[in-house]
């Protein structure tokens, strides 16, 4: 006699309890605090904020803790939380020219107004495991000096003054909102950038890398990479002017790319652009390269069929929350579809004259 | 869950979804783009259906969730629990008592009535997707009614296998206009799509599409005159309730490959057993 | 007699560069028009403007439709134009790959146009497809094979069958023999000539190969730098070219 499988509810509860226990790990080891994650795993926190599209280091740290360090799971938690938040309004566009830079480098000019500021970077460290950290992670205070006063001008502005780089005209059109409107093709640049800034870091990196290796090649110089905090201002209708509501740390990357020019336009450099929440350098550079590759049409370049040139391909597959959900849904039961396929295959095999050995087992 | 709105989504979002649903009902079979929200369950796990349910549920509703026809599969339990917590609506497993039924991959065996709403979870709403990967092109094909390619696929099936080798997510034409993906229901369920008394709503969260069939809509499964559509199922009675008219799951019951067949619709099967019907494997 | 196609003042520019300028001609039912010129002469631009693949900057392409008589196909709605494209018009690409579905069987390729206009009987569709394979000299046993397994010449013949199966009234051909071996070209030309004669097809053939127009075209236009420099009966133009460029073109190839 057969008894149908029951008790999905109990099984789920038990699985969740076990998960909570696993998350905590060995109780002999001190529990990880959210503040510890926020302060000491800041680059994970930054990635979760960037791809989660929500600037809140404490929530991101909490999500990382809850997700047992699985960053895509943490991003998912943040996204799901984000949708429930009411929207009070939109800020004024942030002015990255007024950024208080922790890091600001240019690969195109050796020296320039505002200077090269290395900031806290892994770039010139030797990647040797530091066993001392395992025992004692206390550090001496780093040397410091007063920050130089005044705004740090953008490198591309210097080129622009000479007409050497394409104009990026000021545009007051409100950008489309990916989180409030469905993604529709063809997507303009504002929408593409919006999708890229929250795109999966690994996917964006892979695409950017592919353009460097010749799949839609367009040699890029890092015109400028800057990381620092910018004030966020919001227009308060009752006051009639914008007030500062806080500040966010951003990473901005502007690439300078070759462009041969055409009959109507003299040769000029072109631009790729990346702007991402937090200190997220790899992502911002990747974003700028992919942005530039996607602009082939407006710049009159050939479509060589490279993945990074294909806006539909890039934008529909860059979101890791969509991707991971759909990928993992194949774990869900598919008895019904599978059953209908079974029937069909059996029927076709029967017609093809294959003996049905299994029938005998019934 | 008290800090969340009724049925989780805020009222603005629900209104946006309702507008998409109304548009879908006005143009049966047409895929309406909507700004799908991130939900607290993963994409591909019913977020489209959950958003549609959230938008149509009222506090007076009675809600039922099935996955593969069953009320007690893990994902059905998870979604039902979600609405119990966020909407506090009554839930049921009885098809006839439910006012809103969210489903994955099945249509209940019992005929639905006027006043009921059936909400489908849809993974890939575009019936032309695997023939043409580009969204911009498939939308054009729909708007110009260029469906020749769809029949080319069916033609190729017959020339290769002697049959149309599509057994689930079998494409249909709605009111002689739009070709529609009925979600991955087995083709056995296709005949129930047409002329149904209940409202049918289809939600695809990841793909950001909603479409709908108003009551009593004409729905025709695509076929050839000389290879007509056939709703098929395993040629057995249900081992538990003896039903011969229901869609069956196949179970492997021992190491020797012994099999039995039972109704995939658990409510239908249990109701029949309660009424005294007995299959050959029942106790 | 109403022309089947009346082309008036077609102009297409690419920035400052002229694709084709102010081209006009009439094509009557049953007539085959050849357009010759070297690459860059604007003949392919003209063909694509006429067939609706490119939108010209100026001009009209008036087609004598079955139901509504002469209509300008450029100002027609896209659904109407696409409908024409799968019923009364056909387009044979230079590269068979551009005109075929390489992942679909030969029968499916030929049957697609039938299904697109509503054929819903598998047996009939298959019979017509098989019949057409025979007419383009492809063995009926290949009906379920994909074009990827076909030779270049066979692919091109399959493309022709796929286009002609719905009995179009006007066929656009873009270098239909280009890229094929000489012996294969000859066979294809022979086949095309037979089909044109038997079906009374009207066609516009763009080519740089004068042998093709000599065999197939009733009339000829010679294009250079986007302009038509000479037009007339094929024999007349080929045997007694008036324009200096036509003379150069004719003298530069072997007489056929």
């Amino acid at each position: 006699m057969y008894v149908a499988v029951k008790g999905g509810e109990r099984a789920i509860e038990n699985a969740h309890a076990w998960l909570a226990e696993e998350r905590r790990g060995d109780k002999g080891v001190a529990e990880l605090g959210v503040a510890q994650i926020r302060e000491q795993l800041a680059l994970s926190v930054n990635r979760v904020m960037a791809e989660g599209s929500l600037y809140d280091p404490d929530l991101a740290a909490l999500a990382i803790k809850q997700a047992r360090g699985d960053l895509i799971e943490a991003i998912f938690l943040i996204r799901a939380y984000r949708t429930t938040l009411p929207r009070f309004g939109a800020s004024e566009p942030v002015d990255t020219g007024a950024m208080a830079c922790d890091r600001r480098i240019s690969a195109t000019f050796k020296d320039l107004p505002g200077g090269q500021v290395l900031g806290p970077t892994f770039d010139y460290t030797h990647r040797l495991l530091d066993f001392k950290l395992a025992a004692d992670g206390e550090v001496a205070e780093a040397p410091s000096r007063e920050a130089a006063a005044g705004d740090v001008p953008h490198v591309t502005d210097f080129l622009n003054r000479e007409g050497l780089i394409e104009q990026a005209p000021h545009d007051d059109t409100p950008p489309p909102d990916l989180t409030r409107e469905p993604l529709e093709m063809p997507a303009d640049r504002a929408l593409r950038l919006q999708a890229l800034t929250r795109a999966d870091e690994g996917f964006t990196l892979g695409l950017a890398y592919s353009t460097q290796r010749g799949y839609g090649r367009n040699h890029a110089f890092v015109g400028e990479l800057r990381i620092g905090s910018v004030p966020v201002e919001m227009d308060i209708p009752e006051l009639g002017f914008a007030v500062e509501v806080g500040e966010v740390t951003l990473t901005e990357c502007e690439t300078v790319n070759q462009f041969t020019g055409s009959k109507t336009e003299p040769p000029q450099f072109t631009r790729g652009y990346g702007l991402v929440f937090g200190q997220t350098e790899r992502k911002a550079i990747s974003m700028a390269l992919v942005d530039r590759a996607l602009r082939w049409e407006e710049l009159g370049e050939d479509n060589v069929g490279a993945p990074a040139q294909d806006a539909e391909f890039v934008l529909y597959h860059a979101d890791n929350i969509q991707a991971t959900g759909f990928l993992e849904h194949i774990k869900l039961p598919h008895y019904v579809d599978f059953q209908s396929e079974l029937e069909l295959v059996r029927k076709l095999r029967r017609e093809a004259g294959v003996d049905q050995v299994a029938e005998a087992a019934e | 869950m008290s800090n969340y709105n009724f049925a989780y989504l805020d009222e603005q979002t629900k209104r946006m979804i309702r507008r998409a649903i109304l548009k879908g009902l006005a143009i049966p079979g047409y895929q309406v783009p909507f700004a799908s929200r991130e939900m607290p369950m993963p994409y591909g796990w019913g977020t489209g259906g959950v958003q549609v349910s959230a938008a149509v549920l009222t506090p007076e509703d009675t809600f039922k969730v099935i996955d593969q026809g069953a009320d007690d599969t893990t994902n059905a339990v998870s979604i039902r629990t979600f609405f119990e917590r966020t909407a506090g609506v009554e839930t049921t497993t009885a098809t006839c008592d439910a006012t809103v039924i969210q489903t994955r991959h099945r249509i209940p065996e019992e005929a639905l009535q006027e006043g009921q709403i059936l909400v489908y979870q849809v993974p890939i709403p575009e019936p032309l997707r695997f023939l043409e990967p580009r969204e911009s092109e498939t939308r054009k094909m729909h708007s110009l009614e260029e469906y020749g390619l769809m029949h080319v696929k069916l033609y190729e099936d017959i020339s290769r296998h002697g049959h149309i080798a599509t057994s689930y997510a079998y494409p249909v034409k709605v009111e002689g206009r739009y070709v529609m993906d009925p979600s991955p229901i087995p083709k056995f369920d296709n005949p129930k799509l047409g002329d149904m008394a209940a409202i049918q709503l289809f939600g695809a969260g990841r793909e950001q599409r909603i479409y709908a069939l108003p009551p009593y809509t004409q729905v025709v499964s695509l076929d050839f005159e000389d290879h007509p559509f056939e709703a098929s199922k395993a040629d057995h009675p249900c081992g538990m309730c003896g039903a011969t008219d229901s869609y069956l799951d196949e179970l492997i019951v021992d190491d020797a490959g012994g099999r039995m067949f039972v109704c995939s619709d658990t409510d239908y099967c249990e109701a029949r057993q309660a009424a005294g019907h007995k299959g050959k494997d029942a106790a | 007699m109403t022309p089947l196609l009346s082309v008036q003042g077609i102009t297409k520019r690419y920035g400052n560069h002229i694709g084709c300028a102010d081209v006009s001609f009439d094509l009557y039912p049953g007539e085959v028009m050849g357009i010759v010129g070297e690459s860059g002469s604007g003949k392919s631009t003209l063909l694509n403007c006429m067939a609706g693949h490119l939108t010209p900057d100026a001009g009209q392409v008036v087609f004598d439709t079955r139901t509504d008589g002469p209509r300008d196909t450029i100002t027609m709605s896209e659904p109407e134009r696409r409908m024409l494209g799968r019923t009364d018009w056909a387009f044979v690409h230079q590269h068979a790959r551009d005109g075929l579905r390489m992942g679909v069987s030969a029968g499916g390729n030929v049957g697609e146009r039938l299904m697109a206009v509503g054929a819903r009987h598998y047996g009939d569709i298959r019979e017509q497809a098989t019949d057409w394979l025979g007419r383009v000299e492809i063995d009926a046993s290949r009906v379920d094979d994909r074009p990827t397994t076909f030779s270049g010449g066979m692919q091109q013949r399959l493309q022709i069958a796929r286009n002609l199966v719905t009995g179009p009234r006007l066929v656009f051909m873009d270098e239909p023999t280009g890229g094929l071996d000489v012996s294969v070209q000859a066979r294809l030309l022979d086949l095309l000539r037979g089909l044109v004669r038997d079906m009374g097809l009207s066609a516009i053939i763009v080519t740089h190969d004068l042998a093709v127009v000599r065999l197939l075209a009733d009339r000829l236009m010679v294009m250079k730098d986007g302009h038509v420099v000479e037009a007339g009966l094929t024999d007349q133009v080929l045997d007694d070219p008036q324009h200096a460029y036509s003379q150069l073109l004719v003298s530069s190839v072997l007489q056929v």
Side-chain angles (χ1 to χ4, degrees):
Chain A
M1 183 220 140
Y2 174 77
V3 182
V5 190
K6 286 269 179 198
E9 203 146 357
R10 170 64 66 78
I12 291 176
E13 278 168 21
N14 291 346
H16 289 174
W18 193 356
L19 172 70
E21 196 177 291
E22 286 290 313
R23 180 185 56 68
R24 176 60 185 86
D26 182 353
K27 284 187 181 152
V29 175
E31 192 191 347
L32 194 55
V34 167
Q36 289 174 315
I37 296 173
R38 186 193 64 222
E39 296 303 317
Q40 298 175 37
L41 297 176
L43 298 187
S44 292
V45 168
N46 286 340
R47 179 172 174 196
V48 170
M49 293 195 302
E51 293 169 38
S53 299
L54 183 70
Y55 196 94
D56 189 319
D58 287 301
L59 284 181
L62 173 63
I64 292 167
K65 177 174 178 176
Q66 188 179 331
R68 306 177 63 197
D70 178 338
L71 295 189
I72 291 183
E73 181 67 24
I75 292 160
F76 183 11
L77 288 167
I78 291 296
R79 290 270 191 96
Y81 178 73
R82 181 190 190 282
T83 41
T84 66
L85 299 175
R87 173 167 301 200
F88 298 120
S91 76
E92 293 288 298
V94 294
D95 176 11
T96 54
M99 182 184 278
C101 294
D102 289 338
R103 172 164 165 80
R104 189 266 193 145
I105 53 166
S106 169
T108 51
F109 296 100
K110 188 171 181 188
D111 201 5
L112 65 165
Q116 304 259 18
V117 180
L118 289 186
T121 175
F122 290 121
D123 282 357
Y124 308 101
T125 62
H126 293 141
R127 267 60 169 208
L128 302 170
L129 269 179
D130 181 358
F131 293 102
K132 196 165 144 277
L133 268 184
D136 172 17
E138 287 312 315
V139 293
E141 203 167 310
S144 63
R145 65 167 168 85
E146 280 296 304
D151 288 358
V152 182
H154 279 106
V155 170
T156 47
D157 289 347
F158 304 133
L159 291 167
N160 203 13
R161 234 168 274 158
E162 273 191 77
L164 289 176
I165 194 161
E166 57 162 323
Q167 294 283 333
H170 188 78
D171 184 357
D172 273 332
T173 322
D177 185 345
L178 191 61
T179 67
R180 284 292 184 274
E181 300 294 330
L183 177 60
E184 290 199 59
M185 296 292 160
D188 66 12
R189 192 177 179 203
L191 189 59
R192 296 197 303 255
L193 288 171
Q194 207 174 108
L196 287 176
T197 193
R198 64 191 220 147
D200 182 73
E201 179 175 314
F203 183 79
T204 318
L205 170 66
L207 281 172
Y209 178 49
S210 73
T211 68
Q212 292 185 291
R213 288 194 66 258
Y215 291 82
R217 182 175 157 81
N218 202 296
H219 185 268
F221 298 100
V222 171
E224 181 171 358
L225 177 77
R226 56 170 67 195
I227 303 172
S229 59
V230 294
V232 177
E233 295 185 338
M234 216 179 129
D235 239 340
I236 309 294
E238 288 83 350
L239 296 177
F241 53 87
V243 295
E244 191 174 323
V245 293
E247 51 183 40
V248 296
T249 297
L250 298 174
T251 302
E252 183 185 55
C253 177
E254 287 194 274
T255 57
V256 176
N257 302 67
Q258 192 74 53
F259 175 44
T260 51
S262 68
K263 277 183 187 149
T264 51
E265 286 184 56
Q268 267 183 328
F269 291 110
T270 55
R271 302 163 185 255
Y273 188 72
L275 183 71
V276 187
F277 278 159
Q279 180 174 352
T280 42
E281 205 168 300
R282 183 187 300 122
K283 171 68 181 288
I285 301 171
S286 302
M287 176 177 168
L289 263 62
V290 176
D291 167 51
R292 178 60 187 77
L294 289 172
R295 298 181 63 211
W296 64 273
E297 203 164 4
E298 65 196 72
L299 295 172
E301 295 172 341
D302 290 336
N303 182 352
V304 297
Q309 288 181 310
D310 186 335
E312 272 208 39
F313 179 81
V314 173
L315 300 190
Y316 278 126
H317 301 108
D319 190 287
N320 52 22
I321 302 309
Q322 291 177 354
T324 197
F326 196 58
L327 180 98
E328 295 192 46
H329 106 282
I330 61 176
K331 294 183 287 192
L332 287 177
H334 284 80
Y335 322 131
V336 165
D337 327 357
F338 184 68
Q339 185 62 38
S340 57
E341 290 281 82
L342 264 182
E343 300 299 334
L344 182 65
V345 171
R346 283 199 184 116
K347 181 174 172 185
L348 295 175
R349 285 172 63 85
R350 210 157 38 233
E351 285 171 3
V354 181
D355 284 335
Q356 287 227 307
V357 184
E359 289 287 357
E362 256 184 279
Chain B
M1 298 293 272
S2 56
N3 29 4
Y4 289 103
N5 193 26
F6 174 77
Y8 187 77
L9 292 172
D10 61 279
E11 292 304 311
Q12 290 273 353
T13 300
K14 283 196 253 177
R15 276 201 284 273
M16 175 274 292
I17 295 171
R18 286 179 199 134
R19 282 194 293 270
I21 291 172
L22 288 173
K23 183 167 179 184
L25 285 166
I27 318 170
Y30 171 75
Q31 299 169 50
V32 185
F34 83 111
S36 176
R37 300 286 195 258
E38 275 99 351
M39 297 299 284
M41 56 276 289
Y43 284 117
W45 297 54
T47 53
V50 167
Q51 289 179 75
V52 169
S53 293
V56 299
L57 274 176
T58 65
E60 294 75 38
D61 272 311
T62 305
F63 190 53
K64 169 182 164 86
V65 188
I66 50 174
D67 185 345
Q68 315 288 306
D71 293 275
D72 58 356
T73 47
T74 47
N75 203 43
V77 170
S78 162
I79 292 171
R80 187 167 60 236
T81 314
F82 176 74
F83 281 110
E84 279 168 0
R85 288 167 69 192
T86 59
V89 289
E90 255 190 80
T91 58
T92 181
T93 57
T95 301
C96 56
D97 294 340
T99 52
V100 177
I101 303 172
Q102 180 169 332
T103 179
R104 176 168 172 266
H105 298 191
R106 274 310 311 276
I107 298 176
E109 305 291 354
E110 192 180 329
L112 298 183
Q113 306 301 321
E114 286 182 16
Q116 289 183 302
I117 299 177
L118 184 60
V119 177
Y120 296 79
Q121 301 172 202
V122 182
I124 305 273
E126 179 51 74
L128 304 168
R129 177 59 67 240
F130 299 110
L131 303 168
E132 169 54 60
R134 272 173 201 288
E135 180 67 19
S136 38
E137 186 56 29
T138 52
R139 286 193 78 78
K140 193 175 267 184
M141 288 162 80
H142 282 295
S143 66
L144 300 179
E145 245 183 300
E146 284 190 357
Y147 292 131
L149 196 54
M150 195 82 234
H151 268 89
V152 171
K153 152 112 195 9
L154 303 181
Y155 172 96
E156 292 286 286
D157 274 359
I158 300 173
S159 70
R160 192 165 318 145
H161 305 292
H163 297 278
I164 294 174
T166 301
S167 56
Y168 61 92
Y170 191 104
V172 295
K173 196 161 201 185
V174 178
E175 289 288 334
R177 176 59 181 85
Y178 284 99
V179 167
M180 185 189 99
D181 180 306
S183 88
I185 56 173
K187 68 178 182 175
F188 172 80
D189 281 342
N190 270 29
K192 299 179 207 159
L193 290 161
D195 212 28
M196 187 191 278
I199 293 175
Q200 299 175 78
L201 305 176
F202 299 78
R206 190 177 40 78
E207 299 276 342
Q208 307 191 313
R209 296 289 183 270
I210 284 173
Y211 50 102
L213 297 173
Y216 307 110
T217 299
Q218 184 209 54
V219 179
V220 178
S221 301
L222 299 183
D223 61 1
F224 287 104
E225 289 154 17
D226 48 344
H227 284 267
F229 171 82
E230 248 175 32
S232 64
K233 69 178 207 56
D235 191 17
H236 298 267
C238 169
M240 301 300 288
C241 77
T244 53
D245 57 354
S246 67
Y247 193 76
L248 302 170
D249 282 343
E250 179 173 335
L251 309 169
I252 312 283
V253 290
D254 57 43
D255 293 351
R259 293 179 284 152
M260 72 173 279
F261 293 87
V262 293
C263 294
S264 99
D265 184 336
T266 48
D267 175 58
Y268 183 73
C269 196
E270 280 159 19
R272 280 181 51 88
Q273 290 177 64
H277 296 280
K278 230 173 185 190
K280 70 179 173 70
D281 302 301
Chain C
M1 184 151 91
T2 315
L4 182 65
L5 189 76
S6 179
V7 176
Q8 291 150 26
I10 289 294
T11 301
K12 175 77 184 171
R13 287 187 203 86
Y14 301 103
N16 291 331
H17 176 75
I18 290 172
C20 63
D22 200 22
V23 178
S24 304
F25 69 92
D26 287 339
L27 183 80
Y28 288 90
E31 213 177 10
V32 177
M33 167 71 85
I35 303 175
V36 296
E38 55 195 8
S39 67
S41 61
K43 56 189 193 305
S44 290
T45 297
L46 175 63
L47 189 76
N48 283 311
C49 284
M50 291 189 287
H53 301 164
L54 283 175
T55 309
D57 299 320
Q60 290 186 314
V61 176
V62 179
F63 181 73
D64 186 17
T65 62
R66 277 180 219 242
T67 45
D68 304 323
R71 299 260 328 259
D72 182 8
T73 60
I74 291 172
T75 53
M76 212 176 233
S77 70
E78 186 165 3
E80 288 177 301
R81 199 164 43 236
R82 282 204 176 201
M83 180 53 104
L84 260 189
R86 54 179 194 256
T87 53
D88 271 355
W89 285 8
F91 196 102
V92 177
H93 294 263
Q94 174 178 2
H95 302 290
R97 288 182 164 271
D98 298 335
L100 291 174
R101 291 193 189 279
M102 300 304 283
V104 167
S105 70
N109 262 292
V110 179
E112 180 172 354
R113 272 174 81 104
L114 295 169
M115 292 183 254
V117 294
R120 292 292 179 265
H121 191 284
Y122 175 81
D124 291 351
I125 294 165
R126 195 171 169 81
E127 201 181 301
Q128 281 203 58
T130 313
D131 175 50
W132 263 97
L133 290 185
R135 292 168 76 167
V136 297
E137 300 166 21
I138 295 174
D139 196 277
S141 68
R142 305 298 301 269
V143 66
D144 292 331
D145 294 343
R146 293 185 178 187
T148 39
T149 65
F150 288 8
S151 69
M154 279 171 80
Q155 289 182 4
Q156 196 57 294
R157 281 180 273 134
L158 179 62
Q159 192 196 180
I160 288 164
R162 169 180 160 90
N163 269 287
L164 298 189
V165 65
T166 47
R169 292 161 65 215
L170 175 60
V171 186
F172 299 99
M173 297 192 204
D174 187 7
E175 303 275 11
T177 59
L180 298 175
D181 292 343
V182 178
S183 61
V184 179
Q185 279 189 19
R187 186 174 169 195
L188 187 71
L189 275 177
D190 200 41
L191 177 83
L192 272 176
R193 186 163 61 171
L195 288 171
V196 165
R197 202 171 39 217
D198 296 348
M199 297 177 74
L201 283 180
S202 309
I204 297 175
I205 303 178
V206 156
T207 181
H208 66 281
D209 186 349
L210 296 188
V212 172
V213 285
R214 168 83 79 185
L215 265 175
L216 295 178
D218 303 308
R219 285 197 297 145
L220 199 57
M221 292 197 321
V222 181
M223 289 189 73
K224 181 177 177 358
D225 298 335
H227 295 271
V228 175
V229 295
E230 184 164 358
L233 295 175
T234 305
D235 291 345
Q236 202 175 31
V237 176
L238 290 184
D239 297 339
D240 183 20
Q242 299 299 307
H243 191 275
Y245 177 72
S246 314
Q247 290 167 357
L248 194 68
L249 203 67
V250 170
S251 65
S252 66
V253 295
L254 292 172
Q255 289 292 325
V256 286

